[in-house]
């Protein structure tokens, strides 16, 4: 129990499983089951969103301590327990997960026609795993949620995806699972060394320097795949292209943040010396990712694949910010993660609008869309401008802060991040021009209908968030400034103690 008088985090985490159970109990004809499954999933996700808004309102951003904590003895003889809580670093990612889920369910309302019940159950289970991962304060609980995310996403891609869905699903699963096996070994070492898997307790115990390097690379193997960092990013374009639209939204909006969250939550506070030693390696991999994947994006003819490569570039900017070890860089990385979750999710929804009508993602298949779908063209333009970092929109603030933080560490790293923004403007504007402008060369495009009321409903909150984050960024930055400052203070204190011990 916590300050609100009831186990709020557990309700937010596990209520989707209740909705999934209700959907499983629905009986009747296929059409009745499908209709009821959609509505139950939507109302469940909306109730979870309402609870997460209570969490947001009641959260105190003036303290770096974990809040809304819940504890339950599970395996006390092994130092393992059910421990949940949020701080300024995790609370907004809980809200991002719960906000995108009902939008994804709405986006799938007409697009998913087969096995609707199973699809909605998969999405609700996925929501539980995402929220649980951001709330977990025990390493074993975290690992369970971190890995369990793979199962519903594997099904969403492999069952409801495109023609190569089985290949993409297995590639996604194997890449992410193999990296996480090494993380499990690192967790077992930490448990053996400290006698507990409680994360706040582990923060208070120093990891031997000789072990930090191995643990750092064990975490890197898992988190780098999830980010994804170059060169272990190749699963992402295939997964995005084959996934249904809502699957791509969650994949880009939330799942790509899991690796970066892992760096922030574990690598920096638990392994300060190894993190500082190998920061140059992360910078090199990140700058290569930013530049290389931006150039690859310029060559794409599939809209989804282009946006997928742009996600790798944006997440490269995030990892640069994390390893600057300064307030601007880390705050910018967190803000960019949130902004990218909103903007990239919206871009995949924009692609889905066209795909639902034409059943093609080939850029050359379109042209002149703005003439027949003016409202859609305006929405697509807004998120295109946000993606390239136009001032006044979501991405600009985070990327600008990362560049400032990187400049304080190494001007060349800052230059690489800035070059990514320039290249991003190139490929996104190139995409928008080819899809929206020019002559209509295919007669079937003239019959396209503009956005429907349901599609307006999906885009409206994303538009508001994009403008809100660009115009009033402090309302988001204030949530994690104190937690970031405490993380940096702990990191610097650990490095200082290590230097004194080595004298």
């Amino acid at each position: 129990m916590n300050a609100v008088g009831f186990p709020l985090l557990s309700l937010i985490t596990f209520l989707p499983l209740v909705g999934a159970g209700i959907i499983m109990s629905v009986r009747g004809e296929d059409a009745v089951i499908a209709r009821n499954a959609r509505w139950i999933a939507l109302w469940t996700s909306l109730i979870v969103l309402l609870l997460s808004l209570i969490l947001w309102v009641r959260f105190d951003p003036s303290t770096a301590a974990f809040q809304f904590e819940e504890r339950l003895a599970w395996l006390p003889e092994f130092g393992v327990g059910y421990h949940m809580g949020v701080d300024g670093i995790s609370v907004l990612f809980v809200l991002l997960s719960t906000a995108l889920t009902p939008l994804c369910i709405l986006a799938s309302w007409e697009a998913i026609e087969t096995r609707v019940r199973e699809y909605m159950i998969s999405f609700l289970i996925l929501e539980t795993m995402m929220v649980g991962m951001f709330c977990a304060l025990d390493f074993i609980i975290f690992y369970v949620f971190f890995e369990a995310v793979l199962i519903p996403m594997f099904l969403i891609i492999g069952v409801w995806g495109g023609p190569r869905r089985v290949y993409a699903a297995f590639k996604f699963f194997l890449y992410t699972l193999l990296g996480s096996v090494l993380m499990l070994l690192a967790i077992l070492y930490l448990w053996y060394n400290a006698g507990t898997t409680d994360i706040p307790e582990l923060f208070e115990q120093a990891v031997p320097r000789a072990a930090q390097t191995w643990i750092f690379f064990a975490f890197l193997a898992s988190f780098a795949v999830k980010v994804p960092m170059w060169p272990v990013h190749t699963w992402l374009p295939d997964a995005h292209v084959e996934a249904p639209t809502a699957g791509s939204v969650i994949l880009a909006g939330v799942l790509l943040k899991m690796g970066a969250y892992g760096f922030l939550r574990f690598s920096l506070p638990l392994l300060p010396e190894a993190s500082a030693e190998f920061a140059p390696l992360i910078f090199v991999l990140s700058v290569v990712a930013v530049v290389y994947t931006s150039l690859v994006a310029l060559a794409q003819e599939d809209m989804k694949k282009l946006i997928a490569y742009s996600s790798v570039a944006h997440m490269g900017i995030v990892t640069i910010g994390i390893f600057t070890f300064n307030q601007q860089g880390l705050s910018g990385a967190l803000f960019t993660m949130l902004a990218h979750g909103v903007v990239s999710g919206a871009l995949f929804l924009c692609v889905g609008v066209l795909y639902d009508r034409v059943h093609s993602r080939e850029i050359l298949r379109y042209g002149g869309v703005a003439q027949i779908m003016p409202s859609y063209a305006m929405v697509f333009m807004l998120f295109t401008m946000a993606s390239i970092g136009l001032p006044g929109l979501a991405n600009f603030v985070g990327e600008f802060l990362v560049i400032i933080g990187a400049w304080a560490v190494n001007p060349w790293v800052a230059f690489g991040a800035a070059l990514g923004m320039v290249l991003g403007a190139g490929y996104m504007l190139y995409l928008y021009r080819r899809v929206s402008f020019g002559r209509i060369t295919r007669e079937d495009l003239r019959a396209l209908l503009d956005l429907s009321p349901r599609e307006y409903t999906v885009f409206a909150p994303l538009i508001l968030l994009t403008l809100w984050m660009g115009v009033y960024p402090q309302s988001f930055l204030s949530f994690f400034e104190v937690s970031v400052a405490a993380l940096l203070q702990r990191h610097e204190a650990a490095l200082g103690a290590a230097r004194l011990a080595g004298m």
Side-chain angles (χ1 to χ4, degrees), residues 324 326 328-329 397-410 414:
T324 57
N326 57 46
Q328 294 88 350
V397 177
E399 293 179 353
F400 184 70
L401 286 172
V402 168
I403 292 172
I404 292 175
W407 184 269
V409 176
N410 188 318

Side-chain angles (χ1 to χ4, degrees), residues 28-45:
E29 297 180 357
D30 289 346
V32 174
I33 292 174
R35 182 176 67 251
N36 289 336
R38 291 186 180 102
W39 281 108
I40 293 169
L42 179 60
W43 279 109
T44 301
S45 63

Side-chain angles (χ1 to χ4, degrees), residues 16-17 20 23-24 41 101 105 115-130 148-149 151-157 159-160 250:
L17 293 184
I23 293 174
M24 291 178 65
T101 300
I105 291 170
R115 299 185 177 181
V116 176
R117 171 162 61 184
E118 291 83 356
Y119 179 86
M120 295 301 169
I121 289 172
S122 297
F123 247 95
L124 292 176
I125 294 173
L126 180 60
E127 183 176 24
T128 285
M129 302 310 163
M130 292 187 301
V149 164
I151 300 171
M153 183 53 71
F154 174 80
L155 294 174
I156 289 168
I157 297 172
V159 176
W160 295 277
I250 288 293

Side-chain angles (χ1 to χ4, degrees), residues 153-280:
M153 183 53 71
F154 174 80
L155 294 174
I156 289 168
I157 297 172
V159 176
W160 295 277
R164 299 174 70 244
R165 58 186 179 273
V166 175
Y167 166 78
F170 273 97
K171 189 175 183 180
F172 159 74
F173 190 90
L174 291 175
Y175 262 71
T176 51
L177 180 64
L178 290 175
S180 297
V181 170
L182 294 176
M183 183 176 73
L184 178 59
L185 295 176
I187 292 172
L188 291 176
Y189 172 84
L190 292 171
W191 168 78
Y192 180 79
N193 182 64
T196 181
T197 56
D198 190 77
I199 293 170
E201 289 185 29
L202 287 171
F203 286 165
E204 303 303 321
Q205 302 190 35
V207 178
R209 178 64 187 92
Q212 284 195 27
T213 296
W214 301 107
I215 297 174
F216 178 85
F217 280 102
F219 283 161
L220 179 64
S222 179
F223 299 149
V225 172
K226 286 286 201 302
V227 167
M229 296 176 67
W230 180 89
V232 289
H233 67 285
T234 56
W235 64 268
L236 182 66
D238 291 319
H240 269 309
V241 168
E242 300 304 324
T245 298
S248 292
V249 172
I250 288 293
L251 189 59
V254 182
L255 267 60
L256 296 193
K257 312 304 177 289
M258 292 164 55
Y261 176 78
F263 283 131
L264 284 164
R265 176 62 76 219
F266 305 117
S267 297
L268 267 62
L270 288 174
L271 314 168
E273 296 167 79
S275 297
E277 181 180 352
F278 295 107

